[in-house]
Amino acid sequence: MIIIAITGASGVIYSLKLLEALKKLNIETGVVVSKPAELIFDYELGIKLDEIKELANYFYEPNDLTSSINSGSFKFDSLVIVPCSMKTLSAIANGYGNNAITRVADVALKEKRKTILVPRETPPLRSIHLENMLEISREGGIILPAMPGFYHNPENIDDIINFVVGKILDSLNIENELFKRWE
């Protein structure tokens, strides 16, 4: 199972497209959506939480620290936080597991499970942002910023979004053809 955590940063389209791709591939998913992310889904895409829940096999409440995903004994393969706000990234880097998202990240890192954070912050980044990313990387987490390439000659916004989602799937070792690869 892949846990998809969605935080309150612009770019929730990435999580939507990732969930759609994983569902199409019949890969089991669990999703946890922060309250700010729920608002951003409505603002950026006009999508309500129920539509996101339908894309996943399981839904976890964002403030439920007793949730199964918050225990090292619960088996899941990978965690992707997309988009990952700088607040969430900071909490994870500093071991502050105050909600289901930061706690599942704590579990994933300590259990050495694949952990991918997709920060979505408009540059410039502060030094502390970079230091927090470095700390997570040192612990085995993958930092995959939502920074699309353009060598595949995107023709529209979907092509740009699919490039980032394809790179996430690549990091999960999931075959995909969401973008044209460099030849």
Side-chain angles (χ1 to χ4, degrees), residues 59-133:
F59 176 78
Y60 303 97
E61 291 292 337
N63 292 318
D64 183 4
L65 287 172
T66 66
S67 181
S68 59
I69 61 172
N70 296 149
S71 171
S73 66
F74 181 77
K75 294 296 181 190
F76 62 91
D77 300 307
S78 306
L79 167 67
V80 180
I81 303 177
V82 55
C84 184
S85 68
M86 288 299 130
K87 176 184 176 184
T88 300
L89 195 141
S90 175
I92 295 165
N94 291 285
Y96 186 60
N98 66 324
N99 60 44
I101 293 173
T102 55
R103 178 64 189 148
V104 71
D106 191 52
V107 167
L109 288 168
K110 78 182 183 74
E111 299 289 332
K112 306 294 186 210
R113 297 181 189 157
K114 186 163 280 192
T115 306
I116 302 170
L117 278 61
V118 184
R120 221 304 308 145
E121 181 70 32
T122 302
L125 297 173
R126 292 180 49 215
S127 296
I128 195 66
H129 296 152
L130 298 169
E131 289 171 7
N132 286 336
M133 289 181 205

Side-chain angles (χ1 to χ4, degrees), residues 13-170:
I13 186 71
Y14 294 115
S15 57
L16 175 68
K17 294 294 186 178
L18 179 61
L19 282 165
E20 289 174 347
L22 293 169
K23 184 171 183 129
K24 187 175 179 180
L25 294 167
N26 293 315
I27 295 174
E28 188 177 40
T29 58
V31 69
V32 55
V33 181
S34 73
K35 292 300 178 190
E38 189 176 338
L39 296 172
I40 293 170
F41 267 113
D42 187 36
Y43 180 78
E44 290 184 352
L45 303 175
I47 291 176
K48 301 296 183 198
L49 183 60
D50 286 341
E51 295 175 66
I52 301 305
K53 287 180 180 180
E54 288 177 14
L55 293 171
N57 300 94
Y58 305 97
F59 176 78
Y60 303 97
E61 291 292 337
N63 292 318
D64 183 4
L65 287 172
T66 66
S67 181
S68 59
I69 61 172
N70 296 149
S71 171
S73 66
F74 181 77
K75 294 296 181 190
F76 62 91
D77 300 307
S78 306
L79 167 67
V80 180
I81 303 177
V82 55
C84 184
S85 68
M86 288 299 130
K87 176 184 176 184
T88 300
L89 195 141
S90 175
I92 295 165
N94 291 285
Y96 186 60
N98 66 324
N99 60 44
I101 293 173
T102 55
R103 178 64 189 148
V104 71
D106 191 52
V107 167
L109 288 168
K110 78 182 183 74
E111 299 289 332
K112 306 294 186 210
R113 297 181 189 157
K114 186 163 280 192
T115 306
I116 302 170
L117 278 61
V118 184
R120 221 304 308 145
E121 181 70 32
T122 302
L125 297 173
R126 292 180 49 215
S127 296
I128 195 66
H129 296 152
L130 298 169
E131 289 171 7
N132 286 336
M133 289 181 205
L134 180 59
E135 186 59 40
I136 291 167
S137 178
R138 284 184 180 133
E139 290 191 48
I142 297 169
I143 304 297
L144 197 156
M147 299 163 66
F150 292 91
Y151 58 80
H152 64 292
N153 297 325
E155 295 179 8
N156 52 48
I157 291 175
D158 277 346
D159 289 348
I160 295 169
I161 293 163
N162 286 336
F163 178 87
V164 173
V165 173
K167 296 302 255 180
I168 295 168
L169 292 171
D170 284 353

